[in-house]
Amino acid sequence: MESDVNWHNARALLEWQLEMGVNENILDAPIDRFALDTSPYKTVKRETTNPGMAPKIDPVAIAQKMSQNASSLDELRSIIGAFEYCELKQGARNLVFSDGNPKASVMIVGEAPGREEDQRGKPFVGRAGQMLDKMFSAISLDRGAQDATKSIYITNVLPWRPPQNRDPDLEEIAMMFPFLQKHISMINPSVVIAMGNIACQALLSEKGISKLRGRILHRHNLDILPMYHPAYLLRNPSAKKHAWADLLTLKKKLG
Ligand code: URA
């Protein structure tokens, strides 16, 4: 009998897998999906249907407590790495913490790592990252600069890549926010750039980047400038003129 698996069928099957999100076929180590089911955070979800069975775990409160223990950036990175309540950690290859000069006056907060960032453990190193570098070099800022006045510091709302680059959900944003707050307070920038809607959601509790962008807002004792995300600019080149206007606003603010 002739096999059903001819070249066309095999290709269609592979494409179907890609569409379903199977974009990695080998990881460095096997993942025991049954063991993942017993993660503390899953247990919390089950407990809510059985109130009174076990003490309720509050990942946000735990994150607040853990973040307070950090007294250096290295410590903060290790503490985030030890936080077990965000399921994204299970599927990520690497923790993506930051890049750039910690002494910079400009701190950029993006959304979450994508595929390249997850592989390399650094934020904004894919296509959107190249766009970001181009944008800031237009006002003479560069993540590699030693001179603090010419550099930037980059992090994300979430340190782990969401599967298939889906949007982070509100629960994930809320539980990782204490770490972001601590991170920002350690860098103590004069301006925080909220790159796109997810960063605006985390830092301003608002979405609607088209309305929010272009003005420096004052929240959490910070000056926050919302800007279009570079990935959005790649998809919508006509919005680049707004990004340029926002870069000039930033330049003016920095003097
Ligand atoms: N997009 C982000 O928001 N952050 C990254 O690190 C990469 C892409």
Side-chain angles (χ1 to χ4, degrees):
M1 204 174 95
E2 199 185 321
S3 160
D4 280 348
V5 187
N6 59 31
W7 186 90
H8 295 286
N9 284 350
R11 188 186 163 115
L13 282 169
L14 281 172
E15 281 174 353
W16 176 77
Q17 290 196 22
L18 265 178
E19 265 174 40
M20 300 304 288
V22 184
N23 54 9
E24 312 265 357
N25 45 15
I26 302 177
L27 290 175
D28 296 339
I31 296 180
D32 180 351
R33 308 258 167 215
F34 293 101
L36 296 187
D37 267 338
T38 62
S39 79
Y41 192 49
K42 279 262 168 69
T43 315
V44 180
K45 283 186 179 161
R46 270 187 241 113
E47 276 159 11
T48 55
T49 60
N50 263 323
M53 290 288 289
K56 199 165 178 257
I57 296 171
D58 178 353
V60 178
I62 294 173
Q64 275 162 351
K65 210 157 171 214
M66 285 173 76
S67 63
Q68 281 160 18
N69 293 331
S71 52
S72 68
L73 290 171
D74 282 346
E75 271 181 30
L76 182 62
R77 182 204 286 259
S78 315
I79 287 171
I80 295 173
F83 183 71
E84 297 295 343
Y85 299 89
C86 181
E87 287 180 12
L88 298 177
K89 181 182 172 187
Q90 315 292 344
R93 276 176 188 246
N94 280 303
L95 169 80
V96 176
F97 184 65
S98 71
D99 196 17
N101 187 335
K103 296 201 168 74
S105 317
V106 179
M107 180 166 182
I108 295 169
V109 177
E111 179 179 322
R115 185 180 152 83
E116 269 119 320
E117 290 78 15
D118 180 46
Q119 279 172 346
R120 289 177 51 190
K122 271 192 182 185
F124 282 103
V125 289
R127 269 189 80 218
Q130 286 161 17
M131 180 71 184
L132 179 140
D133 287 338
K134 235 164 120 181
M135 287 161 67
F136 285 87
S137 79
I139 55 166
S140 308
L141 296 178
D142 170 2
R143 67 170 99 184
Q146 296 297 311
D147 178 346
T149 64
K150 296 197 167 85
S151 65
I152 49 180
Y153 184 80
I154 309 172
T155 191
N156 281 312
V157 172
L158 296 184
W160 296 292
R161 180 193 183 195
Q164 295 145 57
N165 296 344
R166 66 153 170 78
D167 278 354
D169 66 34
L170 288 178
E171 230 173 345
E172 290 158 350
I173 295 174
M175 75 173 81
M176 298 315 292
F177 187 63
F179 298 114
L180 178 62
Q181 265 187 313
K182 181 72 180 182
H183 203 162
I184 296 174
S185 74
M186 286 176 147
I187 299 300
N188 192 24
S190 36
V191 191
V192 174
I193 309 289
M195 266 313 174
N197 266 323
I198 299 298
C200 288
Q201 176 71 54
L203 293 163
L204 305 166
S205 306
E206 275 183 76
K207 275 188 170 176
I209 187 68
S210 301
K211 259 193 314 165
L212 291 168
R213 60 144 286 275
R215 280 170 304 138
I216 295 180
L217 307 168
H218 307 279
R219 306 277 167 86
H220 307 289
N221 234 357
L222 297 167
D223 284 342
I224 302 175
L225 176 62
M227 284 183 67
Y228 281 130
H229 193 285
Y232 176 84
L233 298 176
L234 287 170
R235 293 191 305 269
N236 301 277
S238 64
K240 284 184 189 169
K241 55 181 178 290
H242 300 302
W244 175 238
D246 299 345
L247 288 166
L248 293 180
T249 303
L250 171 64
K251 193 174 173 182
K252 192 166 161 207
K253 158 91 183 153
L254 296 173

